[in-house]
Amino acid sequence: MTQEEKTIIEEKIVDVLKTVYDPEIPVNIYDLGMIYKIDVKDDATVDIDMTFTAPSCPAADFILDDVRTKVESLDKVEGANINLVFEPAWDQSMMTEEARVELGFD
């Protein structure tokens, strides 16, 4: 797989991640800054490192399943490994400007 193909797939992954929401927060997980890494491998599998705004997120299983299902539904993606990480710890500075405005932080 070429770097250009990987970049196109990564852009599609970002688009689909922007459709995943924590049911308690009206901003998608990508704009919240919960996605730390997207790594498209040569074999068309994807490794994603993500976190939650709080380690005890009650919707964790739902969100993880939604991410996996949506990423694996993309054309040219053979599988997704979703790694839940808590380092570095999430904080409000990781949100996009759009998310901060939506949540009233700016």
Side-chain angles (χ1 to χ4, degrees):
M1 178 177 297
T2 67
Q3 186 56 47
E4 184 178 339
E5 290 171 319
K6 288 180 181 181
T7 300
I8 291 168
I9 292 170
E10 185 174 333
E11 289 169 356
K12 289 180 181 181
I13 291 169
V14 168
D15 288 343
V16 79
L17 290 175
K18 288 184 175 187
T19 70
V20 177
Y21 288 81
D22 179 325
E24 298 177 339
I25 305 173
V27 175
N28 68 74
I29 64 168
Y30 190 83
D31 287 336
L32 281 171
M34 293 169 50
I35 303 300
Y36 288 173
K37 179 184 86 171
I38 301 170
D39 185 16
V40 179
K41 306 285 190 183
D42 287 333
D43 65 356
T45 61
V46 178
D47 287 339
I48 296 175
D49 288 355
M50 67 172 289
T51 195
F52 291 112
T53 57
S56 59
C57 176
D61 290 339
F62 167 78
I63 295 168
L64 290 170
D65 287 343
D66 200 22
V67 169
R68 179 176 289 103
T69 300
K70 288 181 175 179
V71 170
E72 288 181 342
S73 74
L74 293 171
D75 190 34
K76 307 220 190 250
V77 171
E78 295 299 322
N81 301 307
I82 313 303
N83 305 305
L84 186 57
V85 299
F86 292 102
E87 293 292 327
W90 180 89
D91 66 52
Q92 294 176 5
S93 71
M94 296 172 173
M95 291 190 287
T96 63
E97 180 69 25
E98 188 176 80
R100 284 194 294 276
V101 169
E102 176 71 26
L103 295 174
F105 291 116
D106 278 350

